Amino acid sequence: MSVTSRYREAWEGFWREAPGEVGAVIWDAGPALTARPHLALFEPHLAASDLPVVDLGCGNGTQTRYLADRFPHVLGVDLSVAALAHARHADPADQAEFRQLDAADKGAAEQLHAELGDVNVYMRGVLHQCEPDDRQALVDSIATLTGGRGRAFIVELSEAAKPILRALAQLPEGPPPKLAPVFAHGIAPAEVIDDAVPRYVAAAGLGIVTSGELPFATTEFHPDGTRMELPSKWLVVGRAGC
């Protein structure tokens, strides 16, 4: 299985039009609000901290570069070639490696695992934007990539975020400026119900090591100047029984 051409083109269109400056994309919050607190939750549960790290759905690479400062081998992968162009442009020192990958493609995941061996995976806000038929395949690929020793940190918008986003989309003045391009390109966030994620994990042969809830920081702000945050849930997963 691989993603549909419509889905691929939606992301290419989004990233081709996205401004290059830091924070211009709604989910591009800095690592101090994202990868740093996530690593504090993830690192204590790594079974093998020396494994390569794959930032799955890396986008413009903001979190990938942070991870590359803390792990010896970090690879950012994304479906969108345009996103990777942003990532490479923002990384002139080549802190991290970036490459295109359709993570819903079983063969592509198997090929990457054959190259790297078991890896630890970081994935922030990817599953909830996938088309329904791709979600299980995506988690299956995480199982392939982590293998027997790796673990994955998965953080996704919870279903409670959907009515919040719907209300923002229906504001009389239109959605907030950084949210508008998401809807304009046909990307539908917060489409996964909370109970579905553990089912995808179990069906992939993975177990939940630990889990919890955190606010999902965005780069958008409310009229009163407070940062817009959305409810999210996170999991650390690994091979069942490991």
Side-chain angles (χ1 to χ4, degrees):
M1 177 185 291
S2 61
V3 299
T4 65
S5 58
R6 186 213 64 81
Y7 181 74
R8 187 189 302 270
E9 185 51 40
W11 280 108
E12 288 295 352
F14 176 87
W15 282 111
R16 279 196 300 266
E17 295 180 12
E21 60 265 23
V22 174
V25 172
I26 190 167
W27 53 77
D28 192 30
L33 300 172
T34 51
R36 183 193 296 171
H38 294 160
L39 277 186
L41 298 167
F42 189 27
E43 286 188 294
H45 301 286
L46 292 177
S49 60
D50 59 331
L51 297 179
V53 174
V54 171
D55 182 5
L56 200 162
C58 67
N60 61 359
T62 298
Q63 314 310 320
T64 321
R65 295 189 297 277
Y66 178 85
L67 295 170
D69 279 339
R70 284 144 186 85
F71 296 97
H73 184 189
V74 175
L75 171 65
V77 300
D78 201 276
L79 175 68
S80 168
V81 173
L84 296 172
H86 282 287
R88 294 187 181 105
H89 179 76
D91 188 26
D94 293 328
Q95 291 174 275
E97 179 186 355
F98 297 98
R99 70 175 74 170
Q100 195 273 340
L101 181 80
D102 178 353
D105 184 332
K106 178 181 178 182
E110 290 174 340
Q111 184 175 348
L112 185 58
H113 183 262
E115 175 187 341
L116 299 179
D118 292 354
V119 302
N120 292 315
V121 171
Y122 176 75
M123 187 174 80
R124 173 178 175 261
V126 177
L127 186 65
H128 75 94
Q129 295 175 339
C130 286
E131 294 189 327
D133 289 345
D134 295 328
R135 293 169 191 159
Q136 185 62 61
L138 176 60
V139 182
D140 290 347
S141 289
I142 291 174
T144 297
L145 292 170
T146 54
R149 296 192 300 149
R151 289 193 168 164
F153 185 88
I154 301 170
V155 59
E156 297 291 337
L157 293 184
S158 67
E159 61 185 89
K162 186 173 182 176
I164 298 172
L165 290 166
R166 184 186 298 119
L168 290 170
Q170 295 173 350
L171 289 172
E173 65 273 23
K178 293 180 183 178
L179 183 59
V182 177
F183 294 120
H185 286 280
I187 298 166
E191 287 297 316
V192 180
I193 63 171
D194 296 342
D195 290 346
V197 179
R199 292 200 297 269
Y200 295 138
V201 169
L206 298 173
I208 298 174
V209 179
T210 186
S211 62
E213 299 182 6
L214 275 178
F216 190 103
T218 78
T219 60
E220 190 61 90
F221 291 84
H222 295 288
D224 64 2
T226 59
R227 183 181 297 273
M228 186 182 296
E229 296 180 332
L230 297 167
S232 72
K233 295 180 179 289
W234 60 269
L235 307 89
V236 175
V237 304
R239 186 63 59 188
C242 73

